């Protein structure tokens, strides 16, 4: 079997992968949920961690029953409640991120090594454009992303394949020649469905094994050799960067 060359592009998730913002998102959802009369617990995590704003807003509306008055006005009330809740989630999360969010261990070194090697990379996030831009101007300032994609840039966001398909298309690359770097079940499912090889570095939620999934404990274990190996589909778990 011919050894794979370097990835055509590396497609990075943002929240929980490059930047430690998943905790801030959970805090945001917990506060908004409390305002709606719901105490967020681990049972809510699959509908919050790694999910788009609209998905989490819909979950909170569902579990609290907000926006469900008399049947004749139920659809309008639910739509209005969803809009209010999504706006509150976005605004609160933006304020937290804008106040500062640390990089995940190993993120800066990995990004710098890809830039030095001339391997193109982009940011593919399920966060709103306002949040992506705040992080890129803050914690990720100076990183030479080819482009950034937010939840606002595709009709459907994660867990649908649209974001990663769009990113591969922007690079004029076959998704199968690209490696996505993800931390969450939904993000991994999105990259899988798009046809990318996936390097999973779990954060708050476990991610199930899969045919196209390679796992690492931290980005500190990852280098270009590891990303290239992901194209083999895959090694189930890595033990760290290969010696120079």
């Amino acid at each position: 079997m011919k050894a794979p060359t370097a990835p055509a592009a590396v497609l990075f998730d943002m929240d929980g992968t490059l930047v430690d913002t998943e905790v801030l998102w959970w805090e945001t959802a917990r506060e908004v949920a409390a305002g709606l009369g719901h105490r967020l617990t681990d049972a809510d995590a699959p509908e919050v961690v790694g999910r788009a704003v609209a998905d989490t807003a819909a979950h909170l509306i569902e579990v609290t029953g907000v926006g469900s008055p008399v049947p004749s006005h139920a659809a309008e009330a639910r739509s209005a409640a969803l809009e209010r809740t999504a706006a509150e989630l976005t605004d609160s999360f933006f304020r937290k991120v804008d106040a500062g969010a640390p990089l995940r261990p190993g993120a800066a070194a990995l990004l710098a090594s890809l830039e030095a090697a001339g391997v193109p990379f982009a940011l593919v996030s399920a966060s709103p454009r306002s949040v992506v831009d705040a992080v890129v101007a803050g914690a990720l300032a100076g990183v030479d992303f080819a482009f950034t994609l937010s939840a606002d840039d595709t009709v459907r966001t994660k867990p649908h394949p649209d974001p990663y398909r769009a990113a591969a298309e922007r690079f004029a690359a076959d998704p199968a020649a690209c490696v996505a770097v993800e931390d969450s079940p939904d993000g991994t499912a999105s990259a899988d469905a798009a046809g990318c090889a996936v390097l999973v570095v779990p954060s708050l939620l476990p991610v199930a094994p899969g045919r196209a999934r390679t796992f690492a404990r931290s980005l500190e274990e990852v280098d270009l050799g590891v990303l290239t190996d992901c194209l083999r589909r895959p090694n189930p778990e890595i033990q760290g960067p290969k010696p120079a």
Side-chain angles (χ1 to χ4, degrees), residues 187-215:
T188 301
S190 173
D192 260 350
C196 300
V198 192
L199 175 65
V200 184
V201 187
S203 57
L204 294 184
L205 286 180
V207 177
R211 183 181 65 85
R213 301 175 182 182
T214 302
F215 287 77

Side-chain angles (χ1 to χ4, degrees), residues 160-230:
H160 300 287
D162 306 37
Y164 284 107
R165 284 179 179 166
E169 185 175 346
R170 288 276 294 269
F171 279 119
D174 183 343
C178 300
V179 178
V181 185
E182 273 285 353
D183 74 300
S184 71
D186 270 17
T188 301
S190 173
D192 260 350
C196 300
V198 192
L199 175 65
V200 184
V201 187
S203 57
L204 294 184
L205 286 180
V207 177
R211 183 181 65 85
R213 301 175 182 182
T214 302
F215 287 77
R217 293 176 292 269
S218 166
L219 290 178
E220 292 174 304
E221 299 179 348
V222 181
D223 63 6
L224 179 55
V226 167
L227 292 168
T228 300
D229 283 347
C230 291

